Amino acid sequence: MQINLFARVLPLVGGAGRIRGWTEARLSAKGTAMPDPIFRVGVLGATGFIGSPYRAEIRECEEAQVVAICARREDLLAQAAEEDGAELTTTDWRRVVEHPGVNFVIVATPDALHHEAVLACAARGKHLLCEKPVGMNAMEAGEMWKLYRDASPALAHFVPFWTRMVRVFEIAREIVTAGELGGIVSTVFRWQNPRPAAMPLTWRDNPDLSSAGTIADVGSHAYDAVRWIIGAEAIEVLAHGETLTPSKADLGAINLGEALDWVHDEGKESGSARQGGTVDYASLSCRYDNGGVGTYLLSHATFLRKHLAPELELHGTKASLSVDRWSGDVVLVTPDQEKRLVESAPDKGFGNRFSKWVFPALAPIVCGEPVEGEHPNLEDGWIAQKFTDAASQSVEAGRWIST
């Protein structure tokens, strides 16, 4: 098991500076000139809450260029095209995937729109970043993973489980890997991300577009982080889920950024109100394949606030660990209840995620020189989706469900 994320990749190509140095050295050895950008990017869902900041980060990267963008909102596309200098703007995602100048596609659309687009990307030989949850269910996620796993020549694929990249969770993994906690007996993860009470509905409240509401949205992040830290997978899940937030305004097809802005608009006019159709609160129990057990509290509900308790607890046969990204404190507790602050690393944000993680991890593969390394990919997306599927099914069935 690797102790640090991208431990093998980063010494070669980590960060924008290293990726340029790696490329220059490679080309110098071949006696060739510097090429066009390595990543010629097409973005699906380009103007949404996720796509917009991704594009802003890519614009800062010398190794990448945004070539084509797609969004359902024509009113937002013109500004996006001007920002990116994109060759193609369209409301038809197929034109982006089929564009001969695009070699890397970002799928940042609602969950229900991933599967067909990713299959088309695989068929066209496009490298990929696909948002999580990667599909509406594990069957879709598994099909995507198998296509990219078996692609020849190799296709790069990245699933942005950003929680792995938070420093306190990296520290937790290093401690577990070093054996300081002993065997992991129990885990507790609290992911409470309250949305404003007045925030209107978005596609995440629509079961036709969202895989499993909060269970899939933040549950995939939480489970992937724990699985990555402890090196064990859930084998069955028991879950309870509710929609706790009261009815909210229905303003039609708005994105999350617009929904949050609307909350603070003093001149806003409210539309009809209704309750969201997806779970926004869930409590999960699971059994891991190492014999341990886990508890997850997942919430977007308005009145469940964070900062009250550490986000993650790991309990082992030798010691326990408390991990809290909000304070940055990683605290080890011995069997005699002695507490020791291992490190304080407050969350300062990710910075440019593409220059720090995505492009360094994928550049060698895109250039036809795969390296041995570790980054979250479609296999991880499929494994996370098996967990969230089981949790969602357990909510309906009221019993343990195997993953």
Side-chain angles (χ1 to χ4, degrees):
M1 182 181 294
Q2 297 301 309
I3 290 179
N4 197 7
L5 183 64
F6 309 134
R8 294 181 178 176
V9 176
L10 286 178
L12 294 174
V13 294
R18 291 194 186 98
I19 201 170
R20 284 194 296 273
W22 172 80
T23 304
E24 289 166 0
R26 172 176 171 269
L27 294 172
S28 176
K30 294 183 177 182
T32 56
M34 285 293 288
D36 292 334
I38 297 171
F39 296 90
R40 301 182 301 280
V41 185
V43 185
L44 311 184
T47 62
F49 185 75
I50 294 172
S52 292
Y54 280 3
R55 290 173 28 249
E57 291 174 29
I58 292 168
R59 290 196 296 270
E60 298 175 350
C61 300
E62 294 182 7
E63 63 271 29
Q65 177 184 352
V66 177
V67 174
I69 57 175
C70 173
R72 60 183 170 79
R73 296 271 301 276
E74 293 187 37
D75 58 321
L76 301 177
L77 268 173
Q79 179 181 346
E82 184 176 349
E83 291 169 346
D84 297 341
E87 295 177 13
L88 171 68
T89 62
T90 179
T91 58
D92 181 358
W93 62 265
R94 293 172 183 81
R95 294 186 64 198
V96 174
V97 174
E98 294 168 2
H99 194 295
V102 169
N103 70 345
F104 179 64
V105 176
I106 294 174
V107 178
T109 54
D111 308 341
L113 306 181
H114 292 183
H115 181 247
E116 187 179 4
V118 171
L119 265 56
C121 287
R124 290 278 178 171
K126 307 293 184 178
H127 306 289
L128 178 76
L129 181 148
C130 182
E131 266 301 323
K132 39 55 58 188
V134 295
M136 285 293 279
N137 52 57
M139 183 180 298
E140 290 187 355
E143 185 177 4
M144 298 176 203
W145 154 233
K146 290 173 184 175
L147 284 172
Y148 270 81
R149 178 196 63 192
D150 298 338
S152 180
L155 292 177
H157 46 103
F158 192 105
V159 175
F161 285 122
W162 302 123
T163 308
R164 295 190 187 191
M165 289 74 158
V166 177
R167 179 58 189 151
V168 292
F169 296 120
E170 291 182 320
I171 294 167
R173 190 183 192 220
E174 292 165 4
I175 291 170
V176 170
T177 302
E180 294 186 47
L181 303 186
I184 300 301
V185 176
S186 173
T187 70
V188 180
F189 205 124
R190 305 173 184 87
W191 193 305
Q192 293 157 238
N193 186 17
R195 292 174 179 160
M199 194 185 89
L201 298 168
T202 70
W203 68 261
R204 291 167 175 82
D205 301 292
N206 182 347
D208 293 332
L209 295 175
S210 171
S211 171
T214 292
I215 291 174
D217 189 0
V218 298
S220 58
H221 272 303
Y223 174 65
D224 176 78
V226 173
R227 169 181 164 262
W228 175 72
I229 290 168
I230 70 173
E233 294 186 13
I235 55 176
E236 55 182 348
V237 183
L238 177 66
H240 164 257
E242 298 265 356
T243 305
L244 294 183
T245 302
S247 296
K248 300 188 289 186
D250 184 357
L251 304 182
I254 61 173
N255 62 44
L256 183 57
E258 292 170 323
L260 292 169
D261 289 341
W262 185 84
V263 172
H264 305 290
D265 182 359
E266 295 181 358
K268 62 178 176 282
E269 296 182 7
S270 60
S272 59
R274 62 179 178 86
Q275 194 170 49
T278 59
V279 167
D280 67 4
Y281 166 86
S283 57
L284 284 57
S285 296
C286 73
R287 297 187 179 108
Y288 296 115
D289 59 7
N290 69 348
V293 297
T295 300
Y296 294 79
L297 192 158
L298 311 169
S299 176
H300 280 116
T302 297
F303 306 114
L304 273 72
R305 300 170 182 89
K306 52 192 175 185
H307 304 304
L308 294 177
E311 191 171 10
L312 173 64
E313 297 174 20
L314 302 174
H315 300 281
T317 55
K318 293 182 181 179
S320 295
L321 199 69
S322 165
V323 186
D324 185 24
R325 85 171 90 183
W326 314 117
S327 67
D329 290 346
V330 180
V331 177
L332 188 141
V333 182
T334 64
D336 59 5
Q337 306 306 312
E338 178 184 349
K339 295 174 66 175
R340 173 168 62 88
L341 180 65
V342 176
E343 188 165 341
S344 184
D347 185 10
K348 297 180 181 179
F350 291 107
N352 191 313
R353 294 164 288 187
F354 285 82
S355 67
K356 291 172 70 174
W357 292 297
V358 179
F359 292 155
L362 303 186
I365 304 170
V366 172
C367 292
E369 299 180 9
V371 298
E372 187 177 0
E374 181 182 340
H375 61 271
N377 59 29
L378 286 172
E379 181 181 18
D380 299 296
W382 168 60
I383 292 170
Q385 194 121 27
K386 290 194 294 180
F387 176 81
T388 59
D389 273 13
S392 182
Q393 292 165 20
S394 179
V395 169
E396 295 298 323
R399 59 179 174 82
W400 288 92
I401 300 291
S402 298
T403 59

